[in-house]
Amino acid sequence: MINERMLTAINEQIKNELESSYLYLSMTAYFHSESLDGMAHWMRCQTNEEIVHAMKFYNFIIDRGAQVKLLNLSQLKTNWASPIEAWKDAYKHEQQITGNINDLITIAREEKEYASEPLLAWFVEEQIEEEANVSKVVEQLEILENDKPGLLMLDRELGGRAFLQGSPFDPLSIKNA
Ligand code: MG
């Protein structure tokens, strides 16, 4: 049976990951409204990934013999002043998530919940990648400044990201559902 403090913290993290998904879905809508369909596509892929993250924690709670408690999601931003502002927000958000994962590790160690450490170690690595991916886009947008053709090239590049197989956020995969 899982430790009560750990259970509460993981339930909270399920909410955090679902809120990430919700935030990126909001950014997807924003980028589509700006005709930056490549960035919108990248955010759709990320929306799906965040649900996968939430479900990793969700399944872990079930495997540990406890009950998942879904918490309220927060109201999110729906608009940004510019593409770079959205990407900066995504970076800030991922740094926050990294902090959440670090806090979970602290709790796991304090409560001797060693069974959660392999899962949390996976998230430590994942967060390195998440932060690197979004901060790279922020840096590239800073280089571009007001270079509009350059922005469209970056948009096209980001549009090349692959969906996880069967993602419901992939317009092609849900067409025949
Ligand atoms: Mg995540």
Side-chain angles (χ1 to χ4, degrees), residues 30 32-33 55 72 81 84 87 97 99 101 104 131 134 168:
Y30 163 71
H32 275 305
S33 78
M55 291 312 292
N72 287 341
I84 195 171
W87 284 97
I97 295 289
I101 300 294
L104 283 169
E131 284 193 32
V134 283

Side-chain angles (χ1 to χ4, degrees), residues 23 43 70 77 100 102 110 113 163:
L23 174 65
M43 285 296 170
L70 294 178
K77 257 171 106 163
N100 298 146
N102 291 341
E110 283 175 4
E113 266 291 329
F163 274 110

